[in-house]
Amino acid sequence: MASRKTGIRGKAAATKQTQRGSSNVFSMFEQAQIQEFKEAFSCIDQNRDGIICKSDLRETYSQLGKVSVPEEELDAMLQEGKGPINFTVFLTLFGEKLNGTDPEEAILSAFRMFDPSGQGVVNKDEFKQLLLTQADKFSPAEVEQMFALTPMDLAGNIDYKSLCYIITHGDEKEE
């Protein structure tokens, strides 16, 4: 009997953790956005079983006029979900894509290119110049807004390891 109670408690705890984990993804979007994602999910879930599978993807592509999609491409899409793609996983995948945040290690690698000495800092003025002039250029206001949240040492260098943590996990002060 005791083991049965433990099993029930364990299931309840697992359910609570699942609810907490999945409810977080729902807080990333407004209700109208979630409804749009539900409609998109329904369009892709051709067999209406609540899970997007390879045949669902193939049929969706077919309806869009693309009939010869390589198996590898379909497999790669399904592997992004790291398991069955139900609506919560679907929403999480879109949240990650729309949020536009790369994994922490990818961001750290990018910063390391500007830190040849490997000290974990980059010069603020040099970095500001790059942000204003290269690739997806920042406006001066965007740069100042970013620097307001950026951890810096006494010499005015950016502590990019801390900045990467803030980018990928959020600023602790916000919570």
Side-chain angles (χ1 to χ4, degrees):
M1 186 69 166
S3 64
R4 201 165 160 225
K5 284 184 180 178
T6 305
I8 293 170
R9 266 192 226 124
K11 286 180 186 174
T15 302
K16 272 189 173 179
Q17 285 179 334
T18 302
Q19 286 173 345
R20 254 188 255 131
S22 64
S23 67
N24 190 23
V25 71
F26 288 93
S27 67
M28 293 172 61
F29 301 103
E30 296 176 13
Q31 269 315 112
Q33 290 174 304
I34 292 171
Q35 187 57 42
E36 288 177 15
F37 282 122
K38 279 183 183 176
E39 290 171 20
F41 182 86
S42 295
C43 290
I44 297 169
D45 182 21
Q46 299 286 318
N47 62 9
R48 305 287 183 249
D49 66 351
I51 304 289
I52 294 175
C53 62
K54 192 183 292 189
S55 63
D56 292 330
L57 293 174
R58 189 177 286 108
E59 181 61 28
T60 301
Y61 269 114
S62 177
Q63 289 179 357
L64 295 171
K66 189 172 181 184
V67 288
S68 58
V69 181
E71 290 290 313
E72 301 81 34
E73 191 175 326
L74 297 173
D75 289 335
M77 285 183 211
L78 292 172
Q79 287 172 1
E80 283 190 50
K82 296 175 179 55
I85 301 178
N86 60 20
F87 180 67
T88 303
V89 173
F90 181 79
L91 195 60
T92 302
L93 290 170
F94 270 93
E96 291 169 357
K97 298 286 185 194
L98 293 174
N99 197 12
T101 302
D102 290 320
E104 189 169 0
E105 190 53 42
I107 298 169
L108 284 170
S109 293
F111 272 109
R112 284 186 196 115
M113 292 176 60
F114 304 104
D115 180 22
S117 63
Q119 294 183 356
V121 295
V122 294
N123 180 279
K124 175 186 173 184
D125 295 328
E126 290 174 16
F127 192 63
K128 180 178 182 176
Q129 189 61 32
L130 288 171
L131 291 173
L132 292 169
T133 61
Q134 304 295 316
D136 293 335
K137 297 177 182 95
F138 279 49
S139 71
E142 290 171 325
V143 172
E144 292 310 314
Q145 183 180 14
M146 186 195 83
F147 284 158
L149 299 173
T150 302
M152 294 193 207
D153 65 14
L154 295 174
N157 294 312
I158 297 169
D159 174 357
Y160 65 81
K161 291 177 183 177
S162 295
L163 178 59
C164 287
Y165 184 87
I166 291 170
I167 292 170
T168 57
H169 298 93
D171 188 2
E172 292 175 9
K173 292 179 242 173
E174 290 177 0
E175 294 173 6

